[in-house]
């Protein structure tokens, strides 16, 4: 069966520090992978998606970047975090007509 | 650009009643529309998908309708239970099949 792993679960980082969040998928090949962010009490904002290795589409200009170095690995990064980067970050892959499968999320607090 | 609207106010209903949640959109009708459940601190869980040419889709106590004339989808939970309490999100396929956009969600509280 397909599973998606996302870590860490929580992260507290100072302003100006770098960020690296990792997501890996098991049990499928060549998945479409996504990073979403959810601010407190808000909906999910699509940040990046990838249809293959090295292929990244950015939805919103911002302080973040994404990379896909391997078929089943998707990384979200920042060189210098801002306070506004705080939120709940979710990795997901889409399973055709069955909708997204989301990871367990990373709660990022920038202080 | 596409705008997705869900009632930001929580819906409070009594156990056993039918809960009805609304998702409205502007502009074009998406080919696919999805509904998700999200519990606090967790990622959303996929519930149902309905296609543009389908008027209604059912799964156990869940029912989704899709009205392209009204630009609206309704999500029903019949015989609601306290365990159904959660935030429910709708999601639309974007202009690119690879992208889905989410509403802000409606919190459902089912009281025993």
């Amino acid at each position: 069966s397909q599973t998606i792993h996302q870590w860490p679960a929580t992260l507290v980082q100072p302003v100006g520090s770098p960020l690296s969040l990792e997501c890996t998928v098991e049990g499928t090949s060549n998945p479409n992978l996504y990073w979403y962010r959810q601010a407190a009490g808000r909906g999910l904002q699509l940040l990046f998606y990838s249809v293959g290795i090295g292929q990244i589409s950015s939805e919103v200009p911002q302080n973040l970047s994404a990379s896909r170095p391997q078929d089943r690995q998707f990384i979200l990064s920042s060189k210098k975090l801002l306070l506004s980067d705080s939120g709940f970050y979710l990795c997901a892959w889409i399973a055709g007509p069955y909708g997204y499968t989301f990871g367990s999320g990373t709660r990022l607090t920038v202080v | 650009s596409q705008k997705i609207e869900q009632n930001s106010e929580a819906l409070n209903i009594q156990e056993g009643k039918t809960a009805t949640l609304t998702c409205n959109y502007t502009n074009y009708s998406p080919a696919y529309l999805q509904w998700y459940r999200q519990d606090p601190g967790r990622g959303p869980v996929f519930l149902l998908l309905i296609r543009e040419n389908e008027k209604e889709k059912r799964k156990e106590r869940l029912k989704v309708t899709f009205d392209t004339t009204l630009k609206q989808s309704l999500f029903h939970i019949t015989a609601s239970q306290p365990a159904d309490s959660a935030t429910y999100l709708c999601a639309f396929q974007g202009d690119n099949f690879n992208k889905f956009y989410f509403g802000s969600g409606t919190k459902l509280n089912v009281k025993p």
Side-chain angles (χ1 to χ4, degrees), chain A residues 32 34 36 38 41-44 46 49 51 59 88 90 94 96-100 102-105 107, chain B residues 32 34 36 38 40-46 49 51 89 91 96-105:
Chain A
N32 286 357
Y34 302 79
Y36 281 86
Q38 188 174 33
R42 306 289 295 277
L44 277 69
L46 177 60
Y49 70 94
V51 299
E59 278 293 293
F88 190 43
L90 289 156
I94 197 150
Y98 304 106
Y100 284 117
F102 283 89
S104 53
R107 175 82 54 197
Chain B
Y32 299 90
Q34 304 171 346
Y36 291 78
Q38 186 175 25
R42 309 290 294 272
V45 175
F46 172 74
L49 175 143
R51 294 177 171 81
L89 304 163
N96 181 322
F97 179 74
N98 292 315
K99 298 187 292 187
F100 277 82
Y101 297 97
F102 284 80
S104 56

Side-chain angles (χ1 to χ4, degrees), chain B residues 48-86:
Chain B
L48 281 169
L49 175 143
I50 187 167
R51 294 177 171 81
E52 185 179 16
N53 60 356
E54 296 176 318
K55 298 298 184 184
E56 182 179 296
K57 184 72 78 70
R58 292 176 184 263
K59 179 182 176 183
E60 299 174 352
R61 296 186 294 112
L62 309 180
K63 184 178 82 171
V64 172
T65 63
F66 193 1
D67 190 325
T68 56
T69 301
L70 295 178
K71 296 188 176 181
Q72 181 181 79
S73 175
L74 298 179
F75 177 79
H76 307 272
I77 305 176
T78 58
S80 60
Q81 305 166 1
D84 295 326
S85 298

Side-chain angles (χ1 to χ4, degrees), chain A residues 4-62:
Chain A
I4 183 166
H5 302 280
Q6 191 179 341
W7 66 93
T10 59
L11 194 58
V12 180
Q13 292 284 98
V15 169
S17 64
L19 173 74
S20 181
L21 302 180
E22 188 165 341
C23 171
T24 59
V25 180
E26 295 179 358
T28 185
S29 58
N30 197 29
N32 286 357
L33 296 174
Y34 302 79
W35 279 110
Y36 281 86
R37 176 172 61 197
Q38 188 174 33
R42 306 289 295 277
L44 277 69
Q45 180 187 29
L46 177 60
L47 302 176
F48 301 95
Y49 70 94
S50 171
V51 299
I53 296 174
Q55 299 180 64
I56 308 294
S57 295
S58 175
E59 278 293 293
V60 181
Q62 56 203 320

